[in-house]
Amino acid sequence: MTITEPLTVTARREIAGSWLAGFEAAVRAGDAAAAAGMFLGGGYWRDILALTWDLRTFAGRDAIGAGLARWLPARTPAGFWLEDTAPEMFERRSQGWTIEAFFTFETGIARCRGHVRLLTDPQAGEWKAWTLLTAMEDLKGHEEKAGAQRRASSSPHGVLPNDTGARSEAGPEDEPEVLVIGAGQAGLTVAARLGQLDVPALVIEREARVGDNWRHRYASLVLHNQVWANHLPYLKFPSSWPAYLGKDELADWLEAYAGVMGLNVWTSAELTAARYDPRAGRWSVSVRRGDGSVAALRPRHVVLATGVFGIPHRLELPGAAEFTGRLLHATEYAGGTPAPGVRALVVGSGSSAHDVAQDLHESGAQVTMLQRSSTCVVSLEPGAARAYSIYREDGAPTEDCDLVNNSFPLPLLAELHKDMTDRIAQLDDALLRGLRSAGFALDFGPDGSGFLMKYHRTGGGYYINVGCSDLIVAGQIKVRQGAEIARLSGRTVHLTDGTRLDADLIVVATGYQNMSESVRALFGDEVAARVGPVWGLDAEGEVRAMWRRTGQPGLWIMGGSLQQCRPYSKYLALQIKGCQEGLITPATAPQAPRAPGTPGGPS
Amino acid sequence: MTITEPLTVTARREIAGSWLAGFEAAVRAGDAAAAAGMFLGGGYWRDILALTWDLRTFAGRDAIGAGLARWLPARTPAGFWLEDTAPEMFERRSQGWTIEAFFTFETGIARCRGHVRLLTDPQAGEWKAWTLLTAMEDLKGHEEKAGAQRRASSSPHGVLPNDTGARSEAGPEDEPEVLVIGAGQAGLTVAARLGQLDVPALVIEREARVGDNWRHRYASLVLHNQVWANHLPYLKFPSSWPAYLGKDELADWLEAYAGVMGLNVWTSAELTAARYDPRAGRWSVSVRRGDGSVAALRPRHVVLATGVFGIPHRLELPGAAEFTGRLLHATEYAGGTPAPGVRALVVGSGSSAHDVAQDLHESGAQVTMLQRSSTCVVSLEPGAARAYSIYREDGAPTEDCDLVNNSFPLPLLAELHKDMTDRIAQLDDALLRGLRSAGFALDFGPDGSGFLMKYHRTGGGYYINVGCSDLIVAGQIKVRQGAEIARLSGRTVHLTDGTRLDADLIVVATGYQNMSESVRALFGDEVAARVGPVWGLDAEGEVRAMWRRTGQPGLWIMGGSLQQCRPYSKYLALQIKGCQEGLITPATAPQAPRAPGTPGGPS
């Protein structure tokens, strides 16, 4: 059976409904093998908390069957219900037409949502699951009080008969159950989610104002995807704001968000000591506040939300002490106005390097970029926008888009992005040829899957063109390619290829250290060893140590783009609530951290 | 032809499309009589700027025909296009089934939207317009840069090829084209709208912080309709906020809104002088700022947005000087904690009187309400909520709801609300019987059209029960009915019915003076005479002097509930933009202010 055109809505609904009924029957019978048989041989099941209380991806019928066998007995999912009256169909180039549908179900403790993406099996001719996502939405009895479940009022007396009015007391502000370190998008979103779950949280921020982590960066910084992909939980950006937000707009928005959401934030506050007491299940932490006082807190959970821009990756530059110009890391570069004619060298070729180079050029400097290896470059539109195209101005609800987005396990996303990367490269042909002519080295990732997988795998090595590539193509920013700095002396930079150039200013934009170094700096070697590497993908294709239990009880890591923080803040908060309510035991990660390529079996 | 059940979607679309095509044909042929013939004999046409550059209601075929004949030649509306793929049908008790559809059209200068509500004509058996709304959406070339028309970025260099980046410069902050007096919801929404139209506006606010007009009121104040009816332009309230907002929530939101929208607001600033120069077409105004300095400004337009709570209506109480207790107007009552047992008398029986009485009771006072005449009382739910039921949590887009809401001319709304008021009274039967038993006098408006028409006609005389009525029913707040204060002496209040009572505290909650007194206080007798009465309805059923040109060139009055401010801020801003662009001439009102009942012919 080959589908060559979209089916009627009635037919789609019947096919999706029938698959779901079959899946539910197998699940209720406890027949994991039968349920796994409803997937394609190369199908995926991704679970977000619903069955596993973890973020897990199972690839292929064997792994799916084993995963279901492991968790079905404990969770007994039931009440599967197709949400869509009109499931969508999409034509996937290499796979054919899919039918995609949302559904709801529940377990003993939670209300959940799912998304299934069906394809016809070339062998059997039947519709089978290519991807299945199961995700926890609400813990029963602890539903978020938002949207259709809003409180009637905050009035202490209520305004309606039987209206109990104000939210339950969150306790004094200095006795938080959760301490969140960092008030960027990661810290604020998880605090907002915890507030909805009535878990008292305190956010500490070392800067003087919420948003300063963005506000203090270079002036030309804009987000690289559009506003409708970047809404924070519970509050959408104004419709009058531009599509691509600048760093000050985002900074001010974060500050307003903290106020509007009633978050408990201490600014100018830093963690100075932290020790976990496993018997008490609490941390003993010291926080130095802006007035010099030190607060001693005993939270059950600490959420590290200091971002990937934590500890700069500084190059050891031979002769740095003899360099008579200025030498900065990109994190110290706040933009500004060097004297016209200043000779600037930017070391690196990722997003920060490009932004700094463009900013320097616009300030009148003569800029050279030292590109040491190769870079993946895409246009902002139409290139990068393709990766976010499910989010649209007047498109589907943001939460639905998030579910669809998270329904693609990263290993599958890498496969799909090879094709997308080819197509984007065709659209960007003129730009890419211009860059090559200018001596700039391009790549599309080790497997040709492009910039988005570079983001997920390493967080860098790509640039979404917001103008700097045009300057390179036009020769207004020079490129030196394939060399490193061998030595500095006076105002001269000697390169490893034997050439040299003169520079009055060097900005090193070579990225940041793995977040495990932030863990080490705050919590010490032992905790860092328990947590292991952060970011990058584990053997299943899930992100390591992020948004899930780590090897250190009571320590969580929150972060990522605005688009990631929105859904994952909810999943992290649900896990903390689950710990608070005794629904997750033990509180540690279900297994040791998995290195890339190391098979991690079900626990 | 009698319709007894909803028609198919295809049939609805055909009927609505056919009506619209016929209307367009008549309009394009310039045949006003034929176009008017497509209305029911008792039909209405309401125009908001699209054809008349004014807010106008035409009742009956003669008035509609005359209005169309007057305005069609100048505007030549064209390009009518049915928006809905599935027009809705509703069963109206006394009229039968309607078909209701949105459409778009344009004039030479503007893009417009319309809404038509069709009924079958009992005589002809044809579908005719019961109501037609035509409303301006955007002036061509000056579209709001919001939603699908957002700017790409605010970056001065843009982020996309051909992206000009930042908005046009609005000029120095102290050279506004528009001065807005008052930073409540009225002033802020019109300033936000003007910002979208690139009209430089300055808002001055006498209080120290934006939102203080709400913040400084009594603690128990909550809005009397739900959050989804009250969204401000461009930015929805958070989904995590309660349905009925308290006064502090609203105050903080207004303050955040001013910041997020980038509005230019001077707090602690007061207008001290204003004179209009008709030759220059500008005002000369003096504004005293918080630091004591006085700014001299020359705006083209002044928008009075000080609210209906401008100048308290104070009773002359004989013997007030001999009263040894405290005597306050409700506007001075900020809540608080009188000593338990304090004897308090609240004079009046509107919303403020009830709220103050409830607040006093909760503070431990012995409270008596002096109800001088009668009051319309409805429950919050299900009663009052019925009047706002088109606005829903996950309902139609807010802008669509506003259009539907504004498609009912107030004279028709009064007719429809008689029936609704009857039904609400049945639902509220227990409450109303309890109130009568407690000696409280009820009414449902002079024509039985209930609380909402009282709001539109006089702004008062009703109470939406958020708890005080229950206290009256339970005897915890006493009522003295049908009397006035004859005389005060010591702690004794002598009533006109010959009885007396003792009071340590009297709070007079008898409302506020007509806004024309605010006009007089700020601009003098001559301007007040030109503007005439404010609020209340003119002969057509439009609100007097609000949101439209007044008799004083360059003077506008903005105000109303949050629900009204959202759409009418746009209409007022469009008129100011029209003046700025030379599209409205002369800048004065098209006719003298019309007194209620005075026929106002087309101008």
Side-chain angles (χ1 to χ4, degrees):
Chain A
M1 182 172 60
T2 306
I3 304 294
T4 56
E5 58 182 28
L7 307 176
T8 65
V9 166
T10 311
R12 298 175 200 182
R13 192 169 161 74
E14 196 171 299
I15 291 164
S18 157
W19 186 92
L20 193 64
F23 185 72
E24 177 168 24
V27 157
R28 298 194 75 150
D31 189 344
M38 298 186 68
F39 287 74
L40 292 178
Y44 291 89
W45 167 39
R46 186 170 188 219
D47 183 65
I48 301 179
L49 312 187
L51 274 72
T52 64
W53 262 127
D54 196 4
L55 310 179
R56 296 292 301 269
T57 295
F58 304 92
R61 286 187 191 137
D62 288 352
I64 293 169
L68 289 171
R70 164 74 179 80
W71 277 292
L72 285 182
R75 302 289 175 234
T76 61
F80 287 75
W81 190 266
L82 202 62
E83 279 185 19
D84 289 307
T85 52
E88 294 207 78
M89 291 190 76
F90 295 99
E91 190 171 16
R92 305 274 171 193
R93 277 206 184 189
S94 44
Q95 290 84 10
W97 285 92
T98 62
I99 295 177
E100 313 200 356
F102 294 94
F103 60 92
T104 57
F105 67 101
E106 59 181 286
T107 67
I109 58 168
R111 264 175 273 279
C112 307
R113 267 187 104 185
H115 178 273
V116 66
R117 184 175 282 112
L118 300 172
L119 274 174
T120 50
D121 183 343
Q123 270 88 57
E126 285 175 274
W127 289 90
K128 302 256 184 182
W130 181 25
T131 64
L132 174 71
L133 173 71
T134 49
M136 187 183 288
E137 285 289 311
D138 279 307
L139 283 167
K140 292 178 181 175
H142 306 288
E143 290 78 8
E144 293 195 333
K145 291 164 198 71
Q149 311 206 67
R150 292 172 195 270
R151 291 173 188 84
S153 78
S154 307
S155 159
H157 308 287
V159 297
L160 292 170
N162 306 320
D163 171 16
T164 56
R167 59 199 306 169
S168 58
E169 275 303 310
E173 72 156 24
D174 54 356
E175 287 178 23
E177 288 288 293
V178 181
L179 178 69
V180 180
I181 308 173
Q185 68 263 20
L188 297 179
T189 53
V190 79
R193 298 289 193 181
L194 288 166
Q196 279 288 305
L197 297 174
D198 291 325
V199 179
L202 168 67
V203 185
I204 61 171
E205 166 60 47
R206 67 179 173 191
E207 302 286 345
R209 280 172 68 191
V210 171
D212 277 352
N213 59 324
W214 289 97
R215 200 176 279 117
H216 289 167
R217 300 188 69 199
Y218 45 89
S220 60
L221 180 62
V222 292
L223 294 187
H224 289 178
N225 54 7
Q226 291 156 317
V227 71
W228 43 86
N230 290 326
H231 296 305
L232 301 183
Y234 315 121
L235 183 64
K236 294 198 168 190
F237 287 104
S239 65
S240 54
W241 279 26
Y244 293 96
L245 297 181
K247 56 109 182 166
D248 286 337
E249 286 164 327
L250 183 56
D252 292 347
W253 184 252
L254 291 177
E255 193 171 27
Y257 185 82
V260 162
M261 289 292 141
L263 305 183
N264 181 17
V265 183
W266 290 354
T267 51
S268 303
E270 277 194 90
L271 186 77
T272 53
R275 198 177 49 78
Y276 190 71
D277 176 349
R279 258 183 315 190
R282 288 190 179 272
W283 293 86
S284 294
V285 303
S286 300
V287 176
R288 187 172 52 228
R289 305 191 63 174
D291 61 5
S293 67
V294 175
L297 306 173
R298 298 268 294 155
R300 287 194 181 276
H301 304 272
V302 171
V303 179
L304 182 64
T306 51
V308 290
F309 305 129
I311 303 179
H313 184 256
R314 291 175 196 274
L315 296 176
E316 296 277 335
L317 297 178
E322 291 144 53
F323 182 62
T324 57
R326 286 180 72 205
L327 180 58
L328 298 174
H329 188 272
T331 196
E332 296 146 358
Y333 177 78
T337 51
V342 156
R343 298 160 300 178
L345 179 68
V346 177
V347 183
S349 55
S351 291
S352 297
H354 278 83
D355 284 347
V356 168
Q358 183 173 3
D359 201 75
L360 282 166
H361 170 78
E362 285 166 1
S363 305
Q366 293 172 18
V367 185
T368 301
M369 177 181 282
L370 179 60
Q371 185 190 31
R372 301 174 301 157
S373 55
S374 59
T375 311
C376 179
V377 175
V378 288
S379 59
L380 183 62
E381 293 183 11
R386 294 231 159 178
Y388 305 102
S389 60
I390 57 170
Y391 298 91
R392 292 199 309 273
E393 178 74 45
D394 295 307
T398 313
E399 292 70 24
D400 290 4
C401 295
D402 286 341
L403 222 55
V404 170
N405 201 42
N406 290 333
S407 74
F408 291 106
L410 291 180
L412 175 59
L413 200 68
E415 289 305 309
L416 298 175
H417 269 250
K418 291 175 189 173
D419 186 46
M420 184 185 284
T421 298
D422 284 348
R423 280 182 283 158
I424 292 176
Q426 284 165 28
L427 294 168
D428 288 347
D429 186 54
L431 175 72
L432 300 182
R433 275 190 295 131
L435 284 170
R436 286 196 187 96
S437 299
F440 192 92
L442 295 168
D443 74 70
F444 299 97
D447 55 354
S449 60
F451 82 98
L452 194 66
M453 287 311 299
K454 281 199 165 196
Y455 169 76
H456 283 300
R457 287 168 174 155
T458 68
Y462 66 90
Y463 174 56
I464 296 171
N465 179 30
V466 290
C468 189
S469 295
D470 303 296
L471 296 170
I472 292 171
V473 170
Q476 298 186 276
I477 291 177
K478 307 291 180 200
V479 175
R480 300 293 276 267
Q481 209 287 322
E484 305 264 359
I485 292 178
R487 186 168 53 85
L488 302 177
S489 67
R491 300 265 165 134
T492 304
V493 182
H494 302 268
L495 301 179
T496 50
D497 62 5
T499 64
R500 61 188 205 182
L501 53 85
D502 291 337
D504 308 304
L505 169 65
I506 299 174
V507 183
V508 177
T510 49
Y512 298 83
Q513 297 186 41
N514 189 288
M515 268 191 81
S516 60
E517 296 311 308
S518 299
V519 175
R520 188 183 317 280
L522 289 170
F523 303 97
D525 291 340
E526 210 172 305
V527 170
R530 279 195 208 109
V531 171
V534 185
W535 289 104
L537 307 188
D538 69 13
E540 290 183 346
E542 295 287 343
V543 180
R544 294 182 298 184
M546 294 299 300
W547 319 303
R548 63 204 291 196
R549 284 171 279 167
T550 67
Q552 170 61 54
L555 182 63
W556 308 79
I557 308 181
M558 178 67 207
S561 65
L562 290 151
Q563 185 205 4
Q564 290 175 303
C565 285
R566 181 180 52 243
Y568 286 107
S569 59
K570 176 166 177 166
Y571 300 134
L572 203 167
L574 280 170
Q575 291 171 79
I576 288 180
K577 185 72 176 178
C579 290
Q580 293 286 98
E581 297 295 320
L583 299 169
I584 302 183
T585 47
T588 39
Q591 60 210 4
R594 286 160 294 189
T598 310
S603 63
Chain B
M1 182 172 63
T2 306
I3 305 295
T4 55
E5 58 182 26
L7 306 176
T8 65
V9 166
T10 311
R12 299 175 198 182
R13 191 170 161 73
E14 196 172 299
I15 290 164
S18 158
W19 186 93
L20 194 63
F23 185 72
E24 177 168 23
V27 158
R28 296 194 75 149
D31 191 343
M38 300 187 65
F39 287 75
L40 292 177
Y44 292 88
W45 169 39
R46 185 170 189 220
D47 184 64
I48 301 180
L49 313 186
L51 274 72
T52 64
W53 262 127
D54 197 3
L55 310 179
R56 297 290 301 270
T57 296
F58 304 92
R61 286 186 191 138
D62 288 351
I64 293 169
L68 288 172
R70 165 74 180 80
W71 299 108
L72 285 183
R75 303 288 176 236
T76 61
F80 288 76
W81 190 266
L82 201 63
E83 278 185 19
D84 288 307
T85 52
E88 293 206 78
M89 292 192 75
F90 295 100
E91 189 170 18
R92 304 275 170 192
R93 274 205 186 189
S94 44
Q95 290 84 7
W97 285 93
T98 62
I99 295 177
E100 314 200 356
F102 294 95
F103 60 91
T104 57
F105 67 101
E106 58 182 285
T107 67
I109 59 169
R111 265 176 272 279
C112 306
R113 269 187 104 185
H115 178 273
V116 66
R117 185 175 282 113
L118 300 172
L119 275 173
T120 50
D121 183 344
Q123 271 88 56
E126 286 175 276
W127 289 90
K128 302 255 186 184
W130 181 24
T131 63
L132 175 71
L133 172 70
T134 50
M136 188 183 288
E137 284 289 310
D138 278 308
L139 283 167
K140 292 178 181 175
H142 307 286
E143 289 78 7
E144 293 195 332
K145 290 161 198 73
Q149 313 206 67
R150 291 172 196 269
R151 291 174 188 83
S153 78
S154 308
S155 159
H157 308 287
V159 296
L160 291 171
N162 307 319
D163 171 17
T164 57
R167 60 200 303 169
S168 57
E169 275 303 311
E173 73 156 22
D174 54 355
E175 287 179 23
E177 288 287 294
V178 181
L179 178 70
V180 180
I181 308 173
Q185 68 262 22
L188 296 179
T189 54
V190 79
R193 298 288 193 181
L194 288 167
Q196 279 288 304
L197 298 175
D198 290 325
V199 179
L202 168 66
V203 185
I204 60 171
E205 166 60 49
R206 68 179 172 194
E207 303 286 346
R209 279 173 69 192
V210 172
D212 276 352
N213 59 324
W214 288 97
R215 201 174 279 115
H216 289 166
R217 300 187 69 197
Y218 44 88
S220 60
L221 180 62
V222 292
L223 293 187
H224 288 178
N225 54 8
Q226 290 155 318
V227 71
W228 43 87
N230 290 327
H231 295 306
L232 301 183
Y234 315 121
L235 183 63
K236 295 198 168 188
F237 287 104
S239 65
S240 53
W241 279 26
Y244 294 95
L245 297 180
K247 56 110 182 167
D248 286 337
E249 285 163 328
L250 184 56
D252 292 346
W253 185 252
L254 292 177
E255 194 171 27
Y257 185 81
V260 162
M261 290 290 142
L263 304 183
N264 181 15
V265 182
W266 290 354
T267 51
S268 303
E270 277 194 273
L271 187 78
T272 53
R275 195 176 50 77
Y276 190 70
D277 177 348
R279 259 182 313 187
R282 287 191 179 272
W283 293 87
S284 295
V285 303
S286 300
V287 175
R288 189 172 50 229
R289 304 191 64 175
D291 61 5
S293 67
V294 174
L297 306 174
R298 299 268 294 155
R300 287 195 181 276
H301 304 273
V302 171
V303 179
L304 182 65
T306 50
V308 292
F309 305 128
I311 303 179
H313 184 255
R314 292 175 194 276
L315 296 176
E316 295 277 335
L317 296 179
E322 291 145 50
F323 182 62
T324 58
R326 286 180 73 206
L327 180 57
L328 299 174
H329 188 272
T331 196
E332 296 146 356
Y333 178 78
T337 52
V342 157
R343 299 160 300 178
L345 179 67
V346 177
V347 183
S349 56
S351 290
S352 296
H354 278 83
D355 282 346
V356 168
Q358 184 174 2
D359 200 75
L360 283 167
H361 169 79
E362 285 167 0
S363 304
Q366 294 172 18
V367 185
T368 301
M369 177 181 284
L370 179 59
Q371 185 192 31
R372 300 172 304 155
S373 55
S374 60
T375 310
C376 180
V377 175
V378 288
S379 58
L380 183 63
E381 293 182 16
R386 293 230 161 179
Y388 305 101
S389 60
I390 56 169
Y391 298 92
R392 292 199 309 272
E393 178 76 44
D394 294 308
T398 313
E399 293 68 23
D400 290 4
C401 295
D402 286 341
L403 221 56
V404 170
N405 201 43
N406 290 332
S407 75
F408 291 105
L410 291 179
L412 175 58
L413 199 69
E415 289 305 310
L416 298 175
H417 269 252
K418 290 176 190 174
D419 185 48
M420 184 185 284
T421 299
D422 285 349
R423 279 182 286 160
I424 292 175
Q426 284 165 29
L427 295 167
D428 288 345
D429 186 54
L431 175 71
L432 300 181
R433 276 191 291 133
L435 284 169
R436 285 196 187 93
S437 299
F440 191 91
L442 294 167
D443 74 71
F444 300 96
D447 56 353
S449 61
F451 82 97
L452 194 65
M453 287 310 299
K454 282 199 165 197
Y455 168 75
H456 284 300
R457 286 168 175 155
T458 68
Y462 67 91
Y463 174 57
I464 297 171
N465 180 30
V466 288
C468 189
S469 295
D470 302 297
L471 295 170
I472 292 171
V473 170
Q476 297 186 274
I477 291 177
K478 307 289 180 201
V479 175
R480 298 293 273 268
Q481 210 288 322
E484 305 264 0
I485 292 178
R487 187 167 53 85
L488 302 176
S489 66
R491 299 267 166 136
T492 304
V493 182
H494 301 268
L495 299 179
T496 50
D497 63 4
T499 64
R500 62 186 202 185
L501 54 84
D502 292 336
D504 309 304
L505 169 66
I506 299 175
V507 182
V508 177
T510 50
Y512 297 83
Q513 297 187 40
N514 189 288
M515 267 192 82
S516 60
E517 296 310 308
S518 299
V519 176
R520 189 182 315 281
L522 289 171
F523 303 97
D525 291 340
E526 210 172 303
V527 171
R530 281 197 206 106
V531 171
V534 185
W535 288 104
L537 306 189
D538 69 13
E540 290 182 348
E542 294 288 342
V543 180
R544 293 181 300 182
M546 294 298 299
W547 318 304
R548 61 202 295 197
R549 283 170 280 168
T550 67
Q552 169 61 54
L555 183 63
W556 308 80
I557 309 181
M558 179 65 210
S561 64
L562 290 151
Q563 185 206 6
Q564 290 175 303
C565 286
R566 181 179 52 242
Y568 286 107
S569 58
K570 175 167 177 165
Y571 300 134
L572 203 167
L574 280 171
Q575 291 172 79
I576 288 180
K577 185 71 177 178
C579 291
Q580 293 286 100
E581 297 295 320
L583 299 169
I584 302 183
T585 47
T588 38
Q591 59 209 6
R594 288 159 293 190
T598 310
S603 61

